[in-house]
């Protein structure tokens, strides 16, 4: 039992699960799950009580039962007590103060990351203002490598997302051309296929690989199909760089995705055996988003943001090259408007970085949400200030296959110019070599006989 008194009224919370949910900022998903605070005053009372909870409590009072959930078992069994030692004496409120202090610099945050559980990260985020989430995330340094180096300070990368509603090779090639000539694609060239046809998926893999190899582009490709399809592609000898999968924060929700930890481990080992990376062996790419556990009725009464943080424990176990929250994609049932999407994006980025992950964000919203592109401009600017690893690049910011609004190649140009952010270093050098940018990273005029343009026109 936890309690706090506010305005002469005593509020009681039955257990840690309820306390966490009541302390969460208001969002439609938690109201849908009937776990949210009933008033702003109850929410504040829950935060006051949560601030007094020792961090050690999260290792003893488990929000999702150990016996019922392999994600909980992963969190507890892989917890690093040595990394946890420097902060083990703190309460959640003390932890917030420590994170904001000068003592918690980049080196120290990297040292303790393996000792922080997702529930600890989620709990402290509930006590933070947006500026706190930004400041702490900015201090977290997470660097990964495959064919280039991602996550270095002063840099931001872009996933080039050339989706097409019929998986047209010509349409995809046109979008690839557009993105590359705008300097996008250093995070990954990643296609969401409309089809699960294995022969088509194989063609997409070969097309992406052909372009990357022909022009020696220091990047990686990914066809974002189900992990079982990717395993079959690797068995057929397809040139797979990264293994993709959507993941969630409970075993039941992951079962809804048709996955478990053993399957992800099998796919990781298969990808590693291909030895396609030139600079590193981070071969996994994960996507997450608040609301996935609730939509699968697999949240165990846990609030959606804490469930999201638990997904990061799954990702951390497999040392991904990339992970991003598709923050506004699930819809207004879970994040109702621009305000809720902005807050959720900052929370997700903070929690992921604190846990040692290369967190990116698909700054996005669905067409029936109470949000618009101005909200996305705000979130993109805040996340880039906070050290976002990568964003998404879609032609015109409008994904014509997935039918939602994201960020464009032009948005990446905006944020680079505004904050002086550079590409991944190897990709930046390639852009100069290909006369796409100058030595300062500024776009150059591209002649109609540019070799990349001619080759990709040939592909179409």
């Amino acid at each position: 039992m936890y309690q706090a008194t506010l305005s002469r009224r005593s509020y009681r919370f039955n257990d840690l699960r309820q306390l966490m949910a009541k302390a969460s900022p208001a969002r439609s998903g938690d109201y849908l799950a009937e776990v949210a605070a009933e008033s702003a005053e109850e929410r504040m009372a829950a935060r006051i009580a949560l601030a007094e909870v020792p961090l050690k409590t999260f290792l003893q009072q488990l929000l999702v039962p150990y016996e019922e959930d392999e994600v909980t078992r992963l969190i507890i069994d892989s917890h690093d007590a040595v990394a946890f030692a420097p902060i083990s004496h703190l309460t959640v409120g003390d932890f917030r103060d420590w994170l904001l202090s000068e003592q918690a610099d980049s080196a120290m945050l990297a040292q303790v990351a393996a000792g922080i559980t997702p529930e600890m990260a989620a709990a402290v985020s509930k006590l933070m203002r947006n500026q706190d989430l930004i400041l702490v995330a900015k201090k977290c340094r997470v660097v990964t490598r495959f064919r280039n180096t991602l996550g270095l300070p002063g840099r931001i990368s872009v996933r080039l997302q050339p989706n097409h509603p019929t998986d047209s090779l010509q349409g995809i090639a046109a979008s690839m051309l557009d993105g590359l000539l705008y300097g996008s694609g250093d995070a990954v060239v990643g296609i969401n296929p409309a089809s699960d046809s294995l022969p088509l998926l194989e063609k997409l893999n070969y097309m992406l690989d052909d372009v990357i190899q022909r022009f020696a582009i220091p990047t990686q490709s990914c066809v974002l199909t189900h992990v079982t399809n990717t395993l079959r592609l690797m068995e057929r000898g397809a040139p797979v760089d990264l293994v993709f999968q959507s993941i969630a924060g409970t075993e039941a929700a992951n079962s809804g995705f048709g996955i478990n930890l053993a399957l992800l481990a099998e796919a990781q080992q298969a990808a590693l055996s291909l030895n396609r990376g030139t600079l590193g062996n981070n071969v996994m790419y994960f996507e997450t988003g608040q609301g996935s556990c609730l939509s699968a009725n697999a949240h165990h009464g846990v609030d959606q943001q804490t469930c999201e943080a638990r997904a990061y424990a799954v990702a951390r176990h497999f040392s991904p090259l990339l992970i991003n929250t598709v923050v506004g994609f699930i819809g207004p049932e879970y994040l109702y408007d621009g305000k809720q999407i902005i807050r959720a994006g900052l929370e997700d980025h903070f929690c992921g970085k604190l846990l040692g992950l290369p967190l990116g964000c698909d700054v996005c919203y669905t067409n029936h949400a109470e949000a618009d592109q101005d909200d996305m401009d705000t979130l993109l600017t805040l996340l880039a200030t906070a050290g976002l690893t990568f964003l998404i690049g879609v032609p015109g910011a409008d994904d014509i296959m997935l039918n939602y609004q994201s960020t464009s190649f032009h948005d990446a140009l905006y944020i680079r110019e505004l904050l002086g952010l550079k590409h991944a270093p190897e990709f930046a050098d390639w852009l100069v070599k290909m006369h796409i940018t100058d030595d300062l990273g500024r776009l150059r005029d591209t002649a109609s006989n540019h070799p990349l343009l001619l080759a990709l026109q040939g592909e179409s």
Side-chain angles (χ1 to χ4, degrees):
M1 175 74 73
Y2 299 89
Q3 63 181 36
T5 300
L6 199 62
S7 300
R8 298 183 180 180
R9 178 178 175 182
S10 181
Y11 289 89
R12 292 179 172 81
F13 309 96
N14 295 330
D15 53 27
L16 190 56
R17 182 190 297 115
Q18 185 183 69
L19 179 66
M20 291 274 282
K22 298 287 189 181
S24 289
R27 60 204 51 185
S28 52
D30 288 338
Y31 286 116
L32 184 64
E34 299 182 341
V35 300
E38 295 180 4
S39 66
E41 187 172 285
E42 184 185 27
R43 184 173 300 112
M44 184 55 67
R47 291 174 179 172
I48 291 170
L50 181 60
E52 299 302 319
V53 175
L55 292 180
K56 291 179 180 177
T57 303
F58 293 96
L59 300 173
Q60 302 157 356
Q61 298 182 27
L62 307 181
L63 304 189
V64 181
Y66 183 92
E67 298 78 14
E68 299 177 15
D69 188 89
E70 69 172 358
V71 177
T72 298
R73 293 194 290 275
L74 174 67
I75 292 168
I76 297 302
D77 295 347
S78 63
H79 182 252
D80 189 331
V82 174
F84 182 56
I87 57 173
S88 62
H89 61 290
L90 300 176
T91 65
V92 176
D94 294 334
F95 188 34
R96 172 189 176 275
D97 293 342
W98 181 82
L99 288 170
L100 293 168
S101 72
E102 293 183 0
Q103 180 186 355
D105 58 13
S106 298
M108 178 58 73
L109 290 171
Q111 179 182 324
V112 303
I116 302 171
T117 69
E119 291 84 354
M120 295 175 193
V124 75
S125 76
K126 298 176 194 300
L127 306 185
M128 290 181 150
R129 293 170 55 185
N130 287 359
Q131 65 175 249
D132 301 335
L133 299 173
I134 293 167
L135 181 60
V136 175
K138 179 73 171 181
K139 295 192 288 185
C140 296
R141 298 276 184 258
V142 183
V143 177
T144 57
R145 294 178 175 88
F146 189 76
R147 290 201 189 97
N148 57 18
T149 306
L150 304 176
L152 293 172
R155 298 179 185 268
I156 193 169
S157 297
V158 178
R159 169 189 161 187
L160 203 173
Q161 184 169 301
N163 295 343
H164 192 278
T166 64
D167 291 329
S168 162
L169 296 184
Q170 293 87 352
I172 290 169
S175 292
M176 286 177 60
L177 168 66
D178 193 19
L180 289 170
L181 293 179
Y182 274 112
S184 291
D186 48 344
V188 64
V189 181
I191 301 170
N192 296 93
S195 170
D196 282 331
S197 163
L198 211 61
L200 177 60
L201 297 175
E202 195 167 24
K203 286 181 181 179
L204 292 174
N205 269 282
Y206 276 105
M207 184 190 75
L208 292 176
D209 184 63
D210 177 65
V211 173
I212 289 173
Q213 299 300 331
R214 194 188 317 179
F215 293 99
I217 308 174
T219 192
Q220 37 283 326
S221 67
C222 186
V223 176
L224 282 71
T225 187
H226 193 270
V227 63
T228 53
N229 288 333
T230 306
L231 277 166
R232 293 167 68 191
L233 289 169
M234 288 189 281
E235 290 170 358
R236 292 163 66 114
V240 172
D241 288 343
L242 304 182
V243 174
F244 167 80
Q245 183 55 48
S246 295
I247 57 173
T250 68
E251 179 179 347
N254 283 325
S255 295
F257 285 142
I259 63 167
N260 55 36
L261 298 179
L263 180 61
L264 294 177
E266 178 187 354
Q268 182 188 37
Q269 290 306 309
L272 287 170
S273 72
L274 299 180
N275 197 32
R276 292 178 58 81
T278 55
L279 295 183
N281 59 0
N282 300 113
V283 297
M284 305 298 281
Y285 174 21
F286 296 119
E287 286 189 345
T288 67
Q290 289 191 29
S292 57
C293 289
L294 175 57
S295 66
N297 195 26
H299 59 97
H300 297 267
V302 177
D303 67 271
Q304 68 179 39
Q305 188 251 334
T306 302
C307 285
E308 170 73 3
R310 284 170 53 91
Y312 302 156
V314 176
R316 180 166 65 175
H317 185 64
F318 295 102
S319 303
L321 178 75
L322 304 165
I323 171 175
N324 69 274
T325 168
V326 193
V327 65
F329 183 73
I330 300 182
E333 298 83 1
Y334 307 99
L335 296 169
Y336 178 72
D337 57 13
K339 180 179 176 66
Q340 291 188 11
I341 293 171
I342 289 168
R343 174 69 190 191
L346 294 176
E347 289 170 347
D348 294 350
H349 182 250
F350 162 83
C351 288
K353 284 291 186 68
L354 193 61
L355 294 169
L357 286 169
L359 227 294
C361 183
D362 189 345
V363 178
C364 64
Y365 64 101
T366 57
N367 291 317
H368 62 309
E370 290 294 323
D372 58 28
Q373 213 65 39
D374 285 338
D375 295 317
M376 299 306 104
D377 288 349
T378 299
L379 179 55
L380 171 60
T381 305
L382 294 174
L383 284 171
T385 303
L388 185 71
T389 301
F390 73 103
L391 67 148
I392 307 299
V394 177
D398 183 4
D399 192 303
I400 58 173
M401 194 282 279
L402 292 173
N403 196 28
Y404 78 116
Q405 306 304 311
S406 184
T407 44
S408 70
F409 309 134
H410 296 81
D411 292 325
L413 296 178
Y414 148 73
I415 205 65
R416 291 189 197 281
E417 182 175 351
L418 177 71
L419 300 178
L421 299 172
K422 300 178 180 179
H423 302 82
E426 301 85 358
F427 193 82
D429 291 343
W430 178 83
L431 290 172
V432 173
K433 178 182 177 181
M434 293 295 293
H435 304 286
I436 295 172
T437 65
D438 61 20
D439 291 336
L440 298 178
R442 297 173 301 197
L443 285 181
R444 302 176 62 172
D445 291 335
T446 305
S448 60
N449 64 347
H450 189 281
L452 189 64
L453 178 61
L454 295 175
L456 289 180
Q457 284 178 337
E459 291 287 340
S460 64

